[in-house]
Amino acid sequence: MAGLKWSFAEACDGAGSAAEVGELFVRDVGKLGFTHVACCSHVDPLRPPPGAVMIVRYPDAWVRHFSANDYAKRDPIFLTAQRRALPFQWSDPAFLSALLPEHLSVLQEAREFGLGDGFTVPLHAPDALPASCSLVIGPDGVDPLHVRDAHWLAVYAHEASRRLLVANDTAPRRPPLS
């Protein structure tokens, strides 16, 4: 697996856009057994602000539903990721027991769109929008060691995407001084 991480890092470092990093990430976590990916800033996926990382390969119907219901503000995965540093699995009884009924309802709706069990890596970076990387476990499951590898890939993909977004942002951050 070290070879996968090394080649992934090299490919990300040579990428010319955040979209290219996203394609590399989706490809490589797919090799680990994950069927759907959302490595993104905690914003509306259909109306992201400038600088938002948006590597989202979830069913289109779910993305539209998520956006229409303004779930970015109350998604239990997003809310939990903002309070934790370590990854968590969605089926973990400790995670589920801390959720309100409205949050459990969001998870149930996601399951109806094919987003069953998965795990989330909280992503905390200086000067970045709150973010996380959620990976849906495929029908054959995932080797526990692949979860660790996916964690590393998620952190690298998020940071590589952020670097490219900042580098390609030509809008001035501050008004010029006179």
Side-chain angles (χ1 to χ4, degrees), residues 54-100:
M54 297 306 301
I55 303 170
V56 179
R57 298 303 185 283
Y58 272 8
D60 289 340
W62 171 252
V63 174
R64 288 190 303 275
H65 182 77
F66 187 94
S67 178
N69 287 284
D70 206 18
Y71 282 166
K73 294 179 182 170
R74 57 190 173 108
D75 177 3
I77 302 296
F78 284 4
L79 296 172
T80 302
Q82 290 175 23
R83 295 188 313 265
R84 290 193 183 185
L86 294 176
F88 57 95
Q89 189 164 347
W90 305 345
S91 60
D92 178 8
F95 164 66
L96 293 170
S97 69
L99 299 180
L100 298 172

Side-chain angles (χ1 to χ4, degrees), residues 36 58-59 61-63 65-66 69 71 75-77 90 102-118 134 136:
H36 299 290
Y58 272 8
W62 171 252
V63 174
H65 182 77
F66 187 94
N69 287 284
Y71 282 166
D75 177 3
I77 302 296
W90 305 345
E102 69 185 72
H103 297 138
L104 293 170
S105 175
V106 172
L107 292 180
Q108 178 56 41
E109 289 176 38
R111 280 190 287 280
E112 292 168 10
F113 285 86
L115 303 171
D117 195 16
S134 292
V136 178

Side-chain angles (χ1 to χ4, degrees), residues 145-159:
L145 295 177
H146 288 175
V147 172
R148 182 191 65 206
D149 295 328
H151 180 170
W152 188 93
L153 295 174
V155 171
Y156 206 95
H158 181 260
E159 187 55 28

